Amino acid sequence: MPLPRPVAALAAVPLLCAALAAPAAADPAPRYAALGDSYAAGVAAGSYDPASGDCHRSGRGYPALWAAAHGAALTDAACSAAGADDVRRDQLPKVAADTTVVTLTVGGNDLGFTSAAVDCLQPLTTDARCERTLDTAAHHLDDDLPGRLDTLYSAVRAAAPAARVVVTGYPRLLQTGTTCLLATESRRQRFNALTDRLDELIRRQSAAHGFAFADVRPVFDGHGTCGGGKEEWINGIVVSHLWESFHPTADGQARGYLPTVAALL
């Protein structure tokens, strides 16, 4: 015989309480793939993984820091000197289809940022040489990089169809309005302007593919090299390890890149 409605409601109370008291199922650990160039690898942050060789992956880079903080299973494929095509060819095959989080920093090497740093950010080079190098970089930005990024971003989505993807930009490396032996004010301004153009291209391309864009320029503002006494999160010329020059320090990774990326994840 059916129970009267008030009695049936009372009978359901223990079941409801038991359901509320039952522990919620733990969220699975994120399956995280970190892709990109030396900025993603953590070059200049130190504590390099010996197994990474010339890729110079650091335990102080933003991918390793985020993975440690969130118990993520990390596949760190980032590598110094990588361009967009290198990421697609060499790094993406390491990404599992069930990856839930992907971060990506790439684009600077496609423009020849290393050559630009050598030709512009030291006192022994001429303005003419710097201008030619930056003109070449601007040409690659306009004519080559949009297609490379489009192809790469499509490949990232195909490799990790359900992942949250965060694409980062680059900080302005140089403070302006200060006295600096590395470069003249005009060279620093033009170098930073090229960085801004690169970041805006990355922003547009990533948005077109439904990816989040992590703009690190605001948090790095005031912390570039040539800071005029302020705390610098970007190395100048590192004579002992030239490949660490003009890269974020451990503070730049932990206090610049990490919080900006984490806010989007």
Side-chain angles (χ1 to χ4, degrees):
M1 182 178 74
L3 292 172
R5 188 172 299 172
V7 176
L10 289 173
V13 168
L15 296 176
L16 176 61
C17 291
L20 292 176
D27 289 336
R31 294 175 294 281
Y32 173 24
L35 309 174
D37 57 20
S38 53
Y39 277 60
V43 166
S47 295
Y48 302 115
D49 177 6
S52 68
D54 290 341
C55 288
H56 300 299
R57 286 189 286 271
S58 170
R60 297 175 180 171
Y62 76 82
L65 295 175
W66 191 88
H70 294 82
L74 173 62
T75 298
D76 192 349
C79 190
S80 180
D85 291 344
D86 300 308
V87 173
R88 180 171 53 84
R89 181 183 62 248
D90 302 329
Q91 300 181 23
L92 266 184
K94 302 175 183 178
V95 176
D98 63 352
T99 296
T100 57
V101 173
V102 174
T103 59
L104 171 63
T105 305
V106 77
N109 290 315
D110 294 89
L111 304 189
F113 260 23
T114 299
S115 296
V118 170
D119 290 345
C120 295
L121 306 184
Q122 55 173 316
L124 299 180
T125 59
T126 65
D127 287 341
R129 181 176 178 181
C130 176
E131 291 294 318
R132 285 195 301 270
T133 301
L134 292 180
D135 286 344
T136 299
H139 166 77
H140 290 310
L141 190 149
D142 292 333
D143 296 345
D144 303 328
L145 189 54
R148 292 181 186 181
L149 291 181
D150 184 62
T151 300
L152 172 60
Y153 293 169
S154 295
V156 168
R157 178 50 72 209
R164 169 72 165 168
V165 181
V166 174
V167 182
T168 82
Y170 294 86
R172 298 182 186 99
L173 302 186
L174 303 145
Q175 293 303 120
T176 56
T178 61
T179 301
C180 184
L181 297 177
L182 286 175
T184 64
E185 178 75 5
S186 61
R187 290 190 202 179
R188 283 181 277 162
Q189 289 177 351
R190 187 165 181 207
F191 199 100
N192 286 346
L194 182 66
T195 301
D196 286 340
R197 289 187 58 198
L198 173 58
D199 281 350
E200 291 310 309
L201 172 64
I202 293 171
R203 182 199 299 274
R204 293 193 304 270
Q205 296 280 96
S206 58
H209 286 265
F211 300 161
F213 174 70
D215 188 352
V216 297
R217 289 171 293 179
V219 71
F220 271 90
D221 188 34
H223 297 286
T225 192
C226 299
K230 294 182 180 179
E231 186 178 13
E232 296 181 359
W233 294 352
I234 302 287
N235 277 335
I237 296 174
V238 181
V239 176
S240 58
H241 297 94
L242 287 174
W243 44 272
E244 290 186 330
S245 302
F246 304 110
H247 284 81
T249 63
D251 277 340
Q253 290 284 341
R255 299 166 64 185
Y257 268 96
L258 178 61
T260 308
V261 171
L264 296 172
L265 292 178

